[in-house]
Amino acid sequence: MAMFRFNFREFREMNPKTPRDVWRTPLLALLMVSILLFPVVENPGLAQERAGPIPGTGLLTREGDLAADLVAGVDRFLLRQLREAEQGRSEEWLRKYESGVAYTHSVAKNRARLREMLGVRDPLADPVVMNLSSTVEKSACLFEGERFSVFAVSWPAFGNVNGVGLLLRPAMGGQRTKPLGQVIAIPDCEVTPEQLAGLMEGLPPAAQTAKRLAESGCEVLVPLLINRAEERLPGLSNREWLYRTAFEWGRGLIAYELQKVLAAAQWMRQQESEFSSLGVVGWGEGGLLALYAGALETEFDVVGVSGYFDSRQNLWQEPIDRNVFGLLSVFGDAELASLILPRRLVVDGAAGPEASWSGARGAPWQLTSPSPEQMRNEFAKLAGWAEELKAGDCVQLVQAGGASGISEKGLAAFFEQLTESGRKLVPPGEISLPKELDVASEVRMQRQIAELDGHNQTLLRESHYVRQERTLSRLNFSDLKSYEQSAEVLRSRFRNRVIGWFNQPMQPPRPQSRLFLETDAWIAYEVVLDVFPDVFAYGLLLVPKGIREGEKRPVVVCQHGLEGRPQDTIGDRGSQFYSAFAAKLAERGFITFAPQNLYIFGDRFRTLQRKANPLGKTLFSVIGPQHQQIVDWLQTLEFVDPDRIGFYGLSYGGKTAMRVPAIVTDYCLSICSADFNEWVDKNASTRNPRTYANMSEYEIFEFDLGSTFNYAEMAALIAPRPFMVERGHDDGVADDWTVAYEYAKVRNLYAAKLKRPDLTEIEWFDGPHKINGQKTFEFLHRHLKWPAPDGRKQ
């Protein structure tokens, strides 16, 4: 039995009398004798020298800002994962080279996977009808010349969304002629169809791709792409604004523009003609779409990609509307191009668009042209697969210059592959520009943006029913065991498809600690635990004084919010939002642990999400294992009850309270403070005045979350463990009614379906975005089975 170590200095600070005086006071003398004869046995580990580490841990000697080190370590980890993903892609492919048919069949699953990643999931219009865009005052024919005519057109693509652009039809002496081939020529998003057709200034004649192909005898359709102008909101481009809400539905602006292209291709194939070939070609953003279109749709006979082809390892630095969740785990540009085989592909080495941007609301980005070496290396992989297929002559790399469009050699190579007629591409030349060409470019762009936004909002209105079908309807409420088994299936889907889970074991925790602060009520230690290579968990462990030997206490993990630190939760840094809740709970006898989360340092943590997404991962792919390691370590401490570890988070910590306990089932309860609301609406609505769609948190959007798991569905993964919401009426995160709406579904699940209304509650208080610490503390005392300090029954 360990002896109790009585500290006379502490005793004298609490009692002004000297030790000699104590013996003169009968009551105090009796107490002293009792202590000496019948010592209280304190946990020997907690009675150690205060400056030492926690028993069973090494001494933490790391200096500097541990939060900064944590973010930097995760950054290194993700960059290494990106490199390893490139090296491991071969495991995702089972190519068969016996014949073109066998090859196409062998990559069919990869094609389907790409379609899912991109979010190309809306049914195309059927039939697709090409409409002339004319009015009483204005003809659809914008230009009529000796070699071609140009018409303003539109076509139904999907839902209520239409493609718009120009249709160029070849002619001879002003008379329409039979085309040599059909082409969808896709401009960069900053180039208009009129510029590509030579009807407006802005491009040199050599870069007027649509005009040159039409002059050479092709029928050419040029779609309009959404540009990057900041017309809706300062500091947020049109493309990013539409991408954000689409991403929430498992879609993206790439998917929407691809579906316009694919619908146009469907129309071209519907024509009664003897056209030998259908091609798609593009530069910059158009090159991106041409590559994806050729990979997805086998109807394209020839694909031309210019100003884009690269390894794609720096996707996280490109405009965020190019972000594709999970892409780099299976596809680089070479792998995408391999889906075109054994059809024909021309990769043009022209420089692509180059620009950089950093706005007040949107994600920073940088566009740089791929170096010739990078392009050659990526193309070499494709060429190797083509040779295996005995289709080496089907792929061609054209190394040429050019800074504003497809190079001369690249366009000529595409034309020759398309027509196989022996005819040569017409040399560049100028045409007399039409007088008073009125295309109302800004109005046209705004209509296209409105159509796509309307589609996203339609998906929002339908999302509740979609989630019901995909999630809640699959839960079995016949008994508790059946419910937990059915929830485990959904938990796996949430963990792997929405959160993203690294398929690698965690490292041994190798815990290290050191004294941080001591008060009359508790001792705080800084703790560091290894998780993955370069990834560690860090936080403050508060241990109440007076824990007896053999006693096991409950733990509350107290999670800070955006740009926060563990010190905020104990009042060390004076944060008014946290009400020192980790410290107050420790004063009530709970052990508390306040972890450092990743959401700190602005763009430094937000770009972690950019790096994780192409791997099919998120910030919570790292945060989840950090918490699992924390819980696993806490459960080893001799003074911790491993079955009584709860979670309580504020704001971004509330976001963690919804996601982490849903996948880390060792948390026996969860409290979401200052965050719970109709989360999908807050992300995807463009009408909600509090929407993230208009804010600077570009990392907040989660792929396909809106179709799968809102907060009620996440709470269903926490159930039947106790769950609580803490909500201040003046909290600007959301309106009260959206909180009540979403919580009503949670209440129904616990009370009506699981028949356990006692396991969930919500506290409404008159206050702002903060920890209130009233009903939530009672909830913790009750469900963690720890007596309240005033002796009241909880």
Side-chain angles (χ1 to χ4, degrees):
M1 178 181 293
M3 295 299 294
F4 176 77
R5 297 169 61 186
F6 185 79
N7 190 319
F8 277 99
R9 180 179 298 175
E10 291 182 359
F11 188 85
R12 287 186 63 183
E13 288 174 355
M14 294 184 290
N15 300 275
K17 296 178 180 295
T18 65
R20 183 177 299 174
D21 295 329
V22 168
W23 301 107
R24 299 173 184 172
T25 305
L27 184 59
L28 291 177
L30 180 61
L31 175 61
M32 181 67 76
V33 170
S34 299
I35 290 174
L36 293 175
L37 294 180
F38 305 101
V40 175
V41 180
E42 187 183 31
N43 187 305
L46 300 179
Q48 64 174 304
E49 197 65 36
R50 300 307 191 194
I54 299 169
T57 70
L59 179 63
L60 177 60
T61 59
R62 186 194 295 258
E63 300 296 334
D65 189 342
L66 294 181
D69 290 348
L70 189 153
V71 172
V74 173
D75 186 76
R76 292 191 299 273
F77 171 75
L78 291 174
L79 289 174
R80 186 170 56 253
Q81 291 295 312
L82 286 168
R83 292 191 297 271
E84 292 176 358
E86 182 179 23
Q87 298 162 5
R89 284 182 202 138
S90 59
E91 298 177 4
E92 305 293 334
W93 296 79
L94 295 172
R95 297 182 179 89
K96 294 183 179 180
Y97 299 102
E98 293 86 0
S99 67
V101 173
Y103 180 88
T104 301
H105 181 74
S106 70
V107 300
K109 289 184 178 179
N110 299 86
R111 196 187 316 280
R113 196 168 176 185
L114 175 63
R115 186 177 293 270
E116 181 181 0
M117 288 177 177
L118 291 169
V120 179
R121 55 185 68 178
D122 298 295
L124 296 182
D126 187 19
V128 178
V129 178
M130 194 62 59
N131 301 300
L132 295 175
S133 301
S134 62
T135 66
V136 173
E137 295 83 10
K138 186 176 66 173
S139 169
C141 184
L142 303 181
F143 173 80
E144 193 167 11
E146 288 292 311
R147 290 188 172 182
F148 68 98
S149 300
V150 182
F151 301 87
V153 295
S154 67
W155 62 98
F158 58 95
N160 292 319
V161 175
N162 297 283
V164 300
L166 301 181
L167 179 64
L168 287 71
R169 289 192 145 166
M172 184 67 68
Q175 299 297 314
R176 181 182 173 190
T177 62
K178 174 184 172 182
L180 296 176
Q182 294 173 299
V183 180
I184 299 176
I186 313 175
D188 181 64
C189 62
E190 301 300 336
V191 175
T192 67
E194 290 74 23
Q195 289 173 320
L196 207 67
L199 302 185
M200 293 181 66
E201 296 179 348
L203 291 179
Q208 295 167 2
T209 305
K211 167 183 167 291
R212 298 190 61 196
L213 288 170
E215 286 180 317
S216 300
C218 296
E219 183 175 64
V220 184
L221 182 69
V222 187
L224 173 73
L225 302 190
I226 302 298
N227 61 23
R228 291 199 173 94
E230 300 170 21
E231 295 173 345
R232 287 295 178 115
L233 290 166
L236 187 63
S237 74
N238 293 333
R239 292 188 70 82
E240 181 172 351
W241 188 70
L242 290 169
Y243 152 84
R244 288 180 170 191
T245 49
F247 195 73
E248 201 75 6
W249 309 121
R251 292 162 170 85
L253 187 55
I254 290 175
Y256 290 160
E257 293 185 328
L258 271 175
Q259 287 169 167
K260 292 180 182 182
V261 170
L262 297 180
Q266 184 173 304
W267 173 79
M268 285 185 156
R269 279 304 195 202
Q270 288 170 353
Q271 304 308 297
E272 293 183 5
S273 65
E274 298 177 1
F275 300 149
S276 59
S277 294
L278 172 63
V280 59
V281 63
W283 177 77
E285 215 65 31
L288 173 153
L289 291 171
L291 179 59
Y292 280 127
L296 287 181
E297 181 53 70
T298 58
E299 289 293 318
F300 289 111
D301 302 297
V302 185
V303 179
V305 178
S306 180
Y308 180 74
F309 199 79
D310 200 352
S311 72
R312 216 50 55 198
Q313 288 302 107
N314 291 323
L315 177 59
W316 63 272
Q317 292 179 306
E318 298 176 29
I320 197 170
D321 54 88
R322 292 183 173 187
N323 181 38
V324 178
F325 192 72
L327 180 73
L328 297 185
S329 61
V330 184
F331 302 97
D333 283 3
E335 286 80 8
L336 289 170
S338 75
L339 292 176
I340 298 171
L341 294 174
R343 293 168 290 134
R344 288 160 284 170
L345 169 69
V346 175
V347 175
D348 178 38
E354 297 196 354
S356 61
W357 184 86
S358 180
R361 286 187 173 93
W365 54 263
Q366 183 176 2
L367 281 177
T368 58
S369 295
S371 71
E373 182 181 5
Q374 287 175 315
M375 191 179 302
R376 284 194 299 269
N377 290 340
E378 192 70 9
F379 185 83
K381 293 191 288 185
L382 171 65
W385 298 319
E387 289 295 337
E388 288 277 348
L389 187 56
K390 297 180 176 56
D393 58 343
C394 291
V395 296
Q396 183 177 355
L397 174 62
V398 178
Q399 298 185 6
S404 57
I406 303 173
S407 73
E408 182 70 19
K409 291 182 179 179
L411 187 58
F414 174 81
F415 178 74
E416 290 170 8
Q417 291 284 347
L418 179 77
T419 62
E420 296 183 310
S421 63
R423 291 178 56 174
K424 298 296 182 182
L425 185 71
V426 171
E430 296 184 355
I431 61 173
S432 298
L433 296 179
K435 295 180 179 180
E436 300 179 359
L437 181 64
D438 180 17
V439 295
S441 299
E442 292 185 8
V443 173
R444 180 177 63 180
M445 180 64 67
Q446 289 305 317
R447 285 175 178 168
Q448 285 282 281
I449 292 171
E451 284 184 1
L452 291 172
D453 177 45
H455 185 72
N456 284 332
Q457 299 313 296
T458 297
L459 294 173
L460 173 60
R461 289 190 294 273
E462 292 295 318
S463 65
H464 166 75
Y465 306 101
V466 173
R467 290 191 302 273
Q468 286 280 323
E469 173 62 27
R470 292 185 178 181
T471 307
L472 293 182
S473 67
R474 303 187 182 189
L475 292 170
N476 186 339
F477 295 98
S478 58
D479 55 65
L480 188 58
K481 183 178 180 180
S482 297
Y483 177 83
E484 291 177 332
Q485 289 175 342
S486 61
E488 188 56 40
V489 175
L490 296 179
R491 179 175 295 109
S492 177
R493 182 186 305 168
F494 181 65
R495 179 176 57 240
N496 295 323
R497 297 188 184 181
V498 178
I499 297 296
W501 208 248
F502 284 107
N503 187 25
Q504 60 179 284
M506 293 189 297
Q507 293 184 321
R510 203 170 63 86
Q512 297 176 297
S513 67
R514 65 184 171 213
L515 179 69
F516 177 77
L517 182 67
E518 181 174 3
T519 71
D520 291 340
W522 44 261
I523 307 168
Y525 297 91
E526 287 185 297
V527 177
V528 167
L529 308 169
D530 290 344
V531 181
F532 295 132
D534 285 320
V535 178
F536 63 90
Y538 156 65
L540 293 180
L541 179 71
L542 273 63
V543 182
K545 291 183 176 179
I547 297 179
R548 299 172 180 268
E549 183 177 15
E551 182 183 9
K552 293 186 179 294
R553 297 274 185 102
V555 181
V556 182
V557 173
C558 301
Q559 188 63 71
H560 64 75
L562 179 65
E563 299 294 341
R565 293 175 182 263
Q567 291 80 1
D568 295 332
T569 68
I570 66 172
D572 183 58
R573 299 174 71 234
S575 173
Q576 71 273 25
F577 305 111
Y578 298 100
S579 308
F581 75 122
K584 289 180 180 178
L585 287 169
E587 291 167 2
R588 288 170 168 255
F590 293 102
I591 297 165
T592 64
F593 187 87
Q596 176 66 60
N597 232 334
L598 284 178
Y599 26 77
I600 187 171
F601 306 125
D603 282 339
R604 285 182 58 191
F605 90 81
R606 293 193 163 101
T607 54
L608 298 180
Q609 184 86 319
R610 296 285 326 264
K611 293 166 185 172
N613 272 188
L615 297 167
K617 305 296 188 291
T618 64
L619 285 173
F620 285 97
S621 304
V622 176
I623 293 171
Q626 285 176 320
H627 276 271
Q628 186 65 68
Q629 193 78 304
I630 288 167
V631 173
D632 289 348
W633 174 72
L634 287 171
Q635 290 175 330
T636 68
L637 299 178
E638 61 180 350
F639 46 86
V640 166
D641 185 338
D643 297 323
R644 290 188 292 165
I645 302 177
F647 190 100
Y648 188 175
L650 172 85
S651 193
Y652 268 52
K655 293 172 180 53
T656 310
M658 298 309 304
R659 291 158 180 79
V660 166
I663 54 179
V664 178
T665 57
D666 294 294
Y667 282 122
C668 69
L669 62 78
S670 183
I671 300 175
C672 178
S673 177
D675 183 69
F676 189 92
N677 67 97
E678 215 283 39
W679 178 252
V680 169
D681 184 85
K682 183 175 174 64
N683 282 269
S685 171
T686 52
R687 180 65 181 87
N688 185 339
R690 305 181 193 277
T691 179
Y692 275 124
N694 298 338
M695 297 183 185
S696 61
E697 288 88 346
Y698 57 82
E699 86 294 343
I700 210 77
F701 305 93
E702 296 159 284
F703 186 70
D704 208 18
L705 187 75
S707 304
T708 51
F709 294 91
N710 204 343
Y711 274 7
E713 287 78 25
M714 293 183 204
L717 300 183
I718 296 171
R721 292 167 288 163
F723 172 72
M724 183 175 180
V725 173
E726 185 176 44
R727 164 69 188 179
H729 289 303
D730 298 328
D731 191 335
V733 163
D735 294 306
D736 275 352
W737 69 267
T738 68
V739 179
Y741 167 80
E742 193 67 12
Y743 181 73
K745 292 182 276 186
V746 178
R747 176 71 183 179
N748 177 268
L749 184 142
Y750 275 87
K753 293 184 171 64
L754 293 176
K755 309 301 182 185
R756 290 301 306 270
D758 56 309
L759 296 180
T760 187
E761 62 181 279
I762 185 170
E763 179 194 13
W764 304 90
F765 67 92
D766 186 13
H769 186 79
K770 61 169 287 187
I771 294 285
N772 192 45
Q774 300 297 319
K775 293 294 185 180
T776 52
F777 283 15
E778 294 176 8
F779 187 85
L780 289 168
H781 280 290
R782 181 165 64 254
H783 291 290
L784 292 180
K785 298 180 176 60
W786 182 251
D790 56 8
R792 290 183 300 172
K793 183 178 180 180
Q794 299 295 338

